[in-house]
Amino acid sequence: MAEHNAAPAAYAKPLPRITPDNRPFWEAARRHELHLPHCADCARAFWPPGPVCPWCFEENLSWRALSGRGVISSWVLFHRAWFPSFAGDIPYAVVQVELEEGPRLTSGTLNLPHDRLAVGLPVEVAFDDVTPAITLPKFRARRN
Ligand SMILES: [Zn+2]
């Protein structure tokens, strides 16, 4: 009898390194939510996380949910597999997205045709559950 329930091949691409500073980001992503550090003193979100606000250097920080909406501020199409595990994806897109709340995130795309890649394209976060423990926030074209 053919094997119908073979486990999918293990995820071979690089995975994020979880640290005390970024753990809330990855825990939220696992729940399909986008959370970033927020400063209560100057009311700004920021990324990457750190012990103080990069704008006003105060320490009154908390993690907050963001809209997940933004626009592409930069993008690149990779035609070379710098990691062998990406060879099957060539060419693949990497985008920098300026979120509505201000911070810029660099990530991949989900179901975003390459001919639509453009600075200013409205996008929204889309969550890619790559392993049982890790979900990667990626971006797709916004539907509204
Ligand atoms: Zn601040």
Side-chain angles (χ1 to χ4, degrees), residues 39 41-42 53 55-57:
C39 172
D41 287 293
C42 70
C53 171
W55 305 108
C56 72
F57 306 109

mmCIF file with all atom_site columns, all heavy atoms in Angstrom, residues 39 41-42 53 55-57, ligand 1:
data_model
loop_
_atom_site.group_PDB
_atom_site.id
_atom_site.type_symbol
_atom_site.label_atom_id
_atom_site.label_alt_id
_atom_site.label_comp_id
_atom_site.label_asym_id
_atom_site.label_entity_id
_atom_site.label_seq_id
_atom_site.pdbx_PDB_ins_code
_atom_site.Cartn_x
_atom_site.Cartn_y
_atom_site.Cartn_z
_atom_site.occupancy
_atom_site.B_iso_or_equiv
_atom_site.pdbx_formal_charge
_atom_site.auth_seq_id
_atom_site.auth_comp_id
_atom_site.auth_asym_id
_atom_site.auth_atom_id
_atom_site.pdbx_PDB_model_num
ATOM   1  N  N   . CYS A 1 39 ? 6.370  52.579 22.732 1.00 0.00 ? 39 CYS A N   1
ATOM   2  C  CA  . CYS A 1 39 ? 6.838  53.467 23.789 1.00 0.00 ? 39 CYS A CA  1
ATOM   3  C  C   . CYS A 1 39 ? 5.678  54.332 24.275 1.00 0.00 ? 39 CYS A C   1
ATOM   4  O  O   . CYS A 1 39 ? 5.051  55.040 23.489 1.00 0.00 ? 39 CYS A O   1
ATOM   5  C  CB  . CYS A 1 39 ? 7.967  54.346 23.253 1.00 0.00 ? 39 CYS A CB  1
ATOM   6  S  SG  . CYS A 1 39 ? 8.463  55.623 24.418 1.00 0.00 ? 39 CYS A SG  1
ATOM   7  N  N   . ASP A 1 41 ? 5.941  56.856 26.271 1.00 0.00 ? 41 ASP A N   1
ATOM   8  C  CA  . ASP A 1 41 ? 6.331  58.262 26.440 1.00 0.00 ? 41 ASP A CA  1
ATOM   9  C  C   . ASP A 1 41 ? 6.194  59.059 25.150 1.00 0.00 ? 41 ASP A C   1
ATOM   10 O  O   . ASP A 1 41 ? 5.752  60.195 25.182 1.00 0.00 ? 41 ASP A O   1
ATOM   11 C  CB  . ASP A 1 41 ? 7.757  58.341 26.978 1.00 0.00 ? 41 ASP A CB  1
ATOM   12 C  CG  . ASP A 1 41 ? 7.812  57.941 28.439 1.00 0.00 ? 41 ASP A CG  1
ATOM   13 O  OD1 . ASP A 1 41 ? 7.258  58.688 29.263 1.00 0.00 ? 41 ASP A OD1 1
ATOM   14 O  OD2 . ASP A 1 41 ? 8.369  56.874 28.751 1.00 0.00 ? 41 ASP A OD2 1
ATOM   15 N  N   . CYS A 1 42 ? 6.556  58.458 24.011 1.00 0.00 ? 42 CYS A N   1
ATOM   16 C  CA  . CYS A 1 42 ? 6.444  59.206 22.752 1.00 0.00 ? 42 CYS A CA  1
ATOM   17 C  C   . CYS A 1 42 ? 5.402  58.586 21.827 1.00 0.00 ? 42 CYS A C   1
ATOM   18 O  O   . CYS A 1 42 ? 5.200  59.075 20.714 1.00 0.00 ? 42 CYS A O   1
ATOM   19 C  CB  . CYS A 1 42 ? 7.797  59.332 22.055 1.00 0.00 ? 42 CYS A CB  1
ATOM   20 S  SG  . CYS A 1 42 ? 8.439  57.805 21.365 1.00 0.00 ? 42 CYS A SG  1
ATOM   21 N  N   . CYS A 1 53 ? 13.482 53.000 24.147 1.00 0.00 ? 53 CYS A N   1
ATOM   22 C  CA  . CYS A 1 53 ? 12.895 53.513 22.909 1.00 0.00 ? 53 CYS A CA  1
ATOM   23 C  C   . CYS A 1 53 ? 13.988 54.154 22.046 1.00 0.00 ? 53 CYS A C   1
ATOM   24 O  O   . CYS A 1 53 ? 14.762 54.972 22.545 1.00 0.00 ? 53 CYS A O   1
ATOM   25 C  CB  . CYS A 1 53 ? 11.828 54.546 23.261 1.00 0.00 ? 53 CYS A CB  1
ATOM   26 S  SG  . CYS A 1 53 ? 11.202 55.435 21.817 1.00 0.00 ? 53 CYS A SG  1
ATOM   27 N  N   . TRP A 1 55 ? 13.650 56.331 19.868 1.00 0.00 ? 55 TRP A N   1
ATOM   28 C  CA  . TRP A 1 55 ? 13.314 57.727 19.516 1.00 0.00 ? 55 TRP A CA  1
ATOM   29 C  C   . TRP A 1 55 ? 13.562 58.672 20.677 1.00 0.00 ? 55 TRP A C   1
ATOM   30 O  O   . TRP A 1 55 ? 14.089 59.764 20.492 1.00 0.00 ? 55 TRP A O   1
ATOM   31 C  CB  . TRP A 1 55 ? 11.846 57.823 19.088 1.00 0.00 ? 55 TRP A CB  1
ATOM   32 C  CG  . TRP A 1 55 ? 11.506 56.881 17.976 1.00 0.00 ? 55 TRP A CG  1
ATOM   33 C  CD1 . TRP A 1 55 ? 10.758 55.743 18.050 1.00 0.00 ? 55 TRP A CD1 1
ATOM   34 C  CD2 . TRP A 1 55 ? 11.926 56.980 16.616 1.00 0.00 ? 55 TRP A CD2 1
ATOM   35 N  NE1 . TRP A 1 55 ? 10.702 55.139 16.827 1.00 0.00 ? 55 TRP A NE1 1
ATOM   36 C  CE2 . TRP A 1 55 ? 11.403 55.873 15.933 1.00 0.00 ? 55 TRP A CE2 1
ATOM   37 C  CE3 . TRP A 1 55 ? 12.714 57.905 15.918 1.00 0.00 ? 55 TRP A CE3 1
ATOM   38 C  CZ2 . TRP A 1 55 ? 11.622 55.659 14.567 1.00 0.00 ? 55 TRP A CZ2 1
ATOM   39 C  CZ3 . TRP A 1 55 ? 12.933 57.690 14.557 1.00 0.00 ? 55 TRP A CZ3 1
ATOM   40 C  CH2 . TRP A 1 55 ? 12.389 56.572 13.905 1.00 0.00 ? 55 TRP A CH2 1
ATOM   41 N  N   . CYS A 1 56 ? 13.134 58.272 21.893 1.00 0.00 ? 56 CYS A N   1
ATOM   42 C  CA  . CYS A 1 56 ? 13.250 59.199 23.035 1.00 0.00 ? 56 CYS A CA  1
ATOM   43 C  C   . CYS A 1 56 ? 14.092 58.618 24.169 1.00 0.00 ? 56 CYS A C   1
ATOM   44 O  O   . CYS A 1 56 ? 14.312 59.290 25.169 1.00 0.00 ? 56 CYS A O   1
ATOM   45 C  CB  . CYS A 1 56 ? 11.860 59.593 23.538 1.00 0.00 ? 56 CYS A CB  1
ATOM   46 S  SG  . CYS A 1 56 ? 10.994 58.243 24.411 1.00 0.00 ? 56 CYS A SG  1
ATOM   47 N  N   . PHE A 1 57 ? 14.543 57.380 24.027 1.00 0.00 ? 57 PHE A N   1
ATOM   48 C  CA  . PHE A 1 57 ? 15.455 56.720 24.983 1.00 0.00 ? 57 PHE A CA  1
ATOM   49 C  C   . PHE A 1 57 ? 14.818 56.466 26.350 1.00 0.00 ? 57 PHE A C   1
ATOM   50 O  O   . PHE A 1 57 ? 15.529 56.230 27.320 1.00 0.00 ? 57 PHE A O   1
ATOM   51 C  CB  . PHE A 1 57 ? 16.776 57.503 25.115 1.00 0.00 ? 57 PHE A CB  1
ATOM   52 C  CG  . PHE A 1 57 ? 17.428 57.744 23.781 1.00 0.00 ? 57 PHE A CG  1
ATOM   53 C  CD1 . PHE A 1 57 ? 17.453 59.017 23.222 1.00 0.00 ? 57 PHE A CD1 1
ATOM   54 C  CD2 . PHE A 1 57 ? 17.980 56.696 23.077 1.00 0.00 ? 57 PHE A CD2 1
ATOM   55 C  CE1 . PHE A 1 57 ? 18.033 59.235 21.977 1.00 0.00 ? 57 PHE A CE1 1
ATOM   56 C  CE2 . PHE A 1 57 ? 18.571 56.909 21.844 1.00 0.00 ? 57 PHE A CE2 1
ATOM   57 C  CZ  . PHE A 1 57 ? 18.582 58.180 21.288 1.00 0.00 ? 57 PHE A CZ  1
HETATM 58 ZN ZN  . ZN  B 2 .  ? 9.760  56.896 22.961 1.00 0.00 ? 1  ZN  B ZN  1
#
